[in-house]
Structure formats: structure tokens, C-alpha cells
């Protein structure tokens, strides 16, 4: 029986894009359903009653949520190709640590750059955001990917932020390429992969989306 | 060659206790080093330079940080006894989700009860805390453990908060047993296990510790 896979998502979400990248890495077909986060569908509310958030993966009727938990699930179920986590337990712990770091630090600091009114909070967010990216760049080192020779778990967790870079740069008034050239080289390398380029949203559309939200929040 | 295991931790930390429970479940011997969080050791700063937090597990000289990442590492390396995560990928995703829920919600909300000055923030914290516990109680259902018939990953993530229940109750003026009797029954069941009872700190000592911190913060 063929697997039935449905992804509840929202096109600008870097978290949803992670799941799209993982599904593409595994060569999986799925039904994509766009959610209106201002008017959540009954399906979303039923499938993720605890957090009511996207992404939600529904595999043969059963829901899985939290983007990196979904990615790990995908990696375990479809383990016949493109492994995202390494086999060695220590390297797995390291990969989980860095994906967790991206989740804990990058998103919240990035939000301060885009969604706060100009001022001290935005400056702090920008400074911490750049520090986070620099730390990640050091972790990458001279490897082509965070997964070493191969695109892996940490690459999935971070690459989807790259389509938001233009928006962070625009509102934060800084250049990520100037601050972290190796990291930008890494994003370009990732974008050469079909699984990434077909899953990431266009940076200019993201910028327009952010502008729309800022107007709605009354901060534009 | 015997494994060399060192745990950097602090005795009141529910996060540090999680690692102790996991190590005890696997029957592992280790060196415990108490950290003074007001005066962090060079070893801690070297082993967890990113977050500078406990717990840190050092296995044959290599550090692993973030409590549930450490627990998963222990489960993978010493996989010959007491498995903490199930083998089925969907059940593993569910376990990771609930451990993540405990991390995202319980700790931060619990802090509002203990560390904020009396008032609206504390009342909100208390209300949300009880809602979280009720949701977890619902998830437990009629199973002896969150892991089903066996003590598992989610049990490890949550049971160590039980040493702090008396403190939450005291400062929040609530009774967790009244609100969530099944959950308190579960904590007692867990405490019958040597791995848990030998790892959790005494609730009255925790209360004294919290009182001291509140005095130091000027809120007692």
C-alpha cells in the first residue's frame, strides 16, 4: 500500500520548508496544504491540538509535529536513501545539539530584527543574530556541509533560514555576506541541490510577506 | 577499556537529574562533579562553551550538552538494557514531542510561580502550569508510565520536576495532587524505582534552596 503523506504548511515558514527539504531528499511524493494562520483549518486544529502550529506531517492519517522531530521521523522511516543523521551516537548528539541551537537562538533573535520597532531591542537582536551566525560558520569550518561531506540534519535545520536573510539584512541594515562569507557560500552550495532549491521560498516574496505583516502589526 | 563518564551538574537542577536517572537506568558508574553556577569551573566553560550550562556529560573526554540530547545519547550508546525510547518511529516521534513539550512549557511557566514577585505574572504562571500538568496527565491516560508498560524517555523528562512540586505548591499556593491526582500517583510509582529515588533531590532541600535564591534576588 502506498504511503499517504500530507504536509500542513505555510509557504513563508522556514520551519515548514525544513520538512519539504527532508521529503525531497527522500524522493517522497506528498500532498501540500497551505494553511491560513489567521484562520486555521479544522484539520490543523485536530491534528495539532496542543500547539496549533504548522508544520504538521500526516503520515497514513497519523500526525507528527515540531519541524526537527518531523525531519528525524522522515529520516528514520525512509532510511534507505539520503541519511540525514549520522550513525555514530556522538555525531548524532552533536547534530541534534546544533539543530537545537538554531531553534533556540536564530529564530528569536531574527524576530527581534524584523518585528520590533526600531531601537534597542532591534540592535540587540541584530548583534546576537550575527554572533549566532558566526558561531555556526565556525562550526561549519572547511566542510562543504554541516553534515561533513554530505548534506545532513543541521544543514536542513539552518538552510531554510537563508531565504529570510534578505529580509533580516533589509530591516537590520547589515550584510550577512560581509559578516559570514563562508556561511553564504554554504547556502549557495545547498541551493545547488534540487531538494533545497525546490523547497525554499523566493527571498523577495518573503520580503514582501514580511512587509505585509509589519503593516498589519502597525510597525511599518 | 572501561568507559570514563563524568557528569557536570548542580544538585537542584531537574535537568541534571534527568541525566542521573538515565545513567542509573543503564547501571552506569560515573564521576559526579557539582558545579557552582555563580562561579563556573574552567572545565564547564571548556566543555560547554556555547551555552555554559549544566548538565554536561563527558564520555571518554568528549562532551555532550542539553539534557534530553544527553539522555538520547546514553540510550543509543548503552542500548543493551532499559531502552528509554521505543523502536517504532512514530512512537519515537511522539516521545520526542512530549519531552519537548515539557522543556518548552513546564520550566519557563514554573519559573513564573517561584521567581516572580506576587501578582498577575505569578497567577498567570500558576494557571498555565496547572493546564500543562493536566494535559500531560491526559497523555499518560491509564498507562503506568508515559512509555506505556515501561519507564521511558518522557518519564525521564518529567519525573525530575516532581522534586520541585512542593516548591511550586508552596509559592503558588496550589495542590498538584488535588489538580492532577493521576500524575502524582505516577510520580510515586516512578519513585519506587531505584534509578529515580537515588537521582532526585529531596523536595524540602529544594524548597530551602529556592528560598535562598529568592532572598538573594530580593524577592523573599
Amino acid at each position: 500500500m502506498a504511503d499517504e503523506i500530507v504536509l500542513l504548511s505555510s509557504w513563508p515558514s522556514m520551519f515548514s520548508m525544513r520538512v519539504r527539504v527532508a521529503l525531497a531528499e527522500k524522493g517522497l511524493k506528498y500532498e501540500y496544504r497551505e494553511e491560513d494562520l489567521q484562520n486555521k483549518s479544522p484539520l490543523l486544529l485536530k491534528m495539532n491540538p496542543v500547539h496549533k502550529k504548522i508544520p504538521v506531517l500526516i503520515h497514513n492519517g497519523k500526525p507528527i509535529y515540531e519541524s526537527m522531530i518531523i525531519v528525524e521521523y522522515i529520516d528514520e522511516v525512509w532510511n534507505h536513501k539520503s541519511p540525514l543523521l549520522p550513525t555514530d551516537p556522538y555525531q548524532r548528539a552533536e547534530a541534534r545539539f546544533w539543530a537545537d541551537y538554531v531553534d533556540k537562538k536564530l529564530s528569536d533573535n531574527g524576530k527581534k530584527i524584523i518585528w520590533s520597532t526600531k531601537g534597542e531591542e532591534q540592535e540587540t537582536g541584530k548583534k546576537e543574530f550575527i554572533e549566532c551566525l558566526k558561531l555556526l560558520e565556525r562550526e561549519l569550518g572547511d566542510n562543504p556541509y554541516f553534515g561533513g561531506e554530505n548534506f545532513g540534519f543541521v544543514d536542513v535545520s539552518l538552510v531554510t533560514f537563508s531565504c529570510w536573510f534578505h529580509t533580516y539584512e533589509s530591516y537590520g541594515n547589515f550584510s550577512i555576506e560581509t559578516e559570514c562569507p563562508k556561511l553564504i557560500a554554504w547556502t549557495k552550495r545547498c541551493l545547488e541541490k534540487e531538494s533545497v532549491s525546490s523547497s525554499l521560498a523566493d527571498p523577495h516574496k518573503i520580503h514582501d510577506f514580511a512587509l505585509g505583516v509589519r503593516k498589519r502589526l502597525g510597525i511599518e
Side-chain angles (χ1 to χ4, degrees), chain A:
Chain A
M1 191 177 76
D3 283 302
E4 191 194 85
I5 306 171
V6 179
L7 173 62
L8 307 184
S9 180
S10 152
W11 73 265
S13 161
M14 62 278 272
F15 303 102
S16 291
M17 288 178 223
R18 288 165 162 180
V19 180
R20 298 191 67 185
V21 171
L23 290 165
E25 278 288 299
K26 302 292 185 175
L28 295 166
K29 294 203 186 323
Y30 60 97
E31 179 191 342
Y32 177 95
R33 290 202 203 181
E34 180 69 19
E35 281 286 331
D36 173 1
L37 298 183
Q38 310 291 326
N39 184 22
K40 292 173 182 178
S41 72
L43 181 65
L44 173 58
L45 299 176
K46 182 173 111 169
M47 288 290 162
N48 190 359
V50 175
H51 296 308
K52 303 177 178 53
K53 286 183 175 180
I54 53 87
V56 179
L57 190 79
I58 311 171
H59 180 209
N60 294 334
K62 299 201 288 190
I64 307 102
Y65 10 76
E66 294 303 306
S67 59
M68 293 318 287
I69 292 177
I70 299 173
V71 170
E72 194 154 2
Y73 173 81
I74 290 168
D75 200 39
E76 287 181 2
V77 174
W78 291 281
N79 56 9
H80 58 290
K81 82 176 267 195
S82 303
L84 296 170
L85 272 170
T87 47
D88 173 71
Y90 188 76
Q91 289 175 7
R92 290 160 71 83
E94 292 246 280
R96 290 186 180 117
F97 174 84
W98 286 107
D100 178 68
Y101 177 84
V102 173
D103 272 350
K104 280 191 166 92
K105 295 282 191 178
L106 218 61
S107 177
D108 284 347
N109 283 314
K111 277 196 243 185
K112 288 181 197 172
I113 298 174
I114 304 174
W115 311 126
S116 55
T117 46
K118 292 199 181 296
E120 208 182 300
E121 197 192 9
Q122 199 197 31
E123 272 311 298
T124 312
K126 175 177 155 184
K127 186 166 161 285
E128 289 181 5
F129 186 80
I130 293 167
E131 274 170 25
C132 289
L133 289 185
K134 286 188 168 181
L135 184 64
L136 287 158
E137 191 181 52
R138 281 200 295 280
E139 176 60 20
L140 177 66
D142 293 322
N143 291 317
Y145 302 104
F146 285 90
E149 290 303 311
N150 299 306
F151 183 83
F153 194 72
V154 181
D155 300 280
V156 175
S157 75
L158 181 60
V159 76
T160 60
F161 279 76
S162 68
C163 54
W164 278 80
F165 280 359
H166 169 57
T167 303
Y168 293 133
E169 288 173 319
S170 165
Y171 288 109
N173 191 27
F174 65 107
S175 156
I176 295 174
E177 184 143 25
T178 304
E179 301 283 352
C180 303
K182 277 187 167 179
L183 204 65
I184 294 295
W186 162 82
T187 67
K188 290 176 179 165
R189 189 177 304 122
C190 291
L191 278 159
E192 287 168 11
K193 290 170 66 60
E194 169 77 16
S195 60
V196 176
S197 58
S198 64
S199 304
L200 265 55
D202 176 275
H204 293 99
K205 288 187 175 161
I206 299 247
H207 192 277
D208 291 344
F209 165 78
L211 180 64
V213 176
R214 282 169 59 100
K215 281 180 182 157
R216 190 158 19 122
L217 294 173
I219 52 174
E220 185 78 14

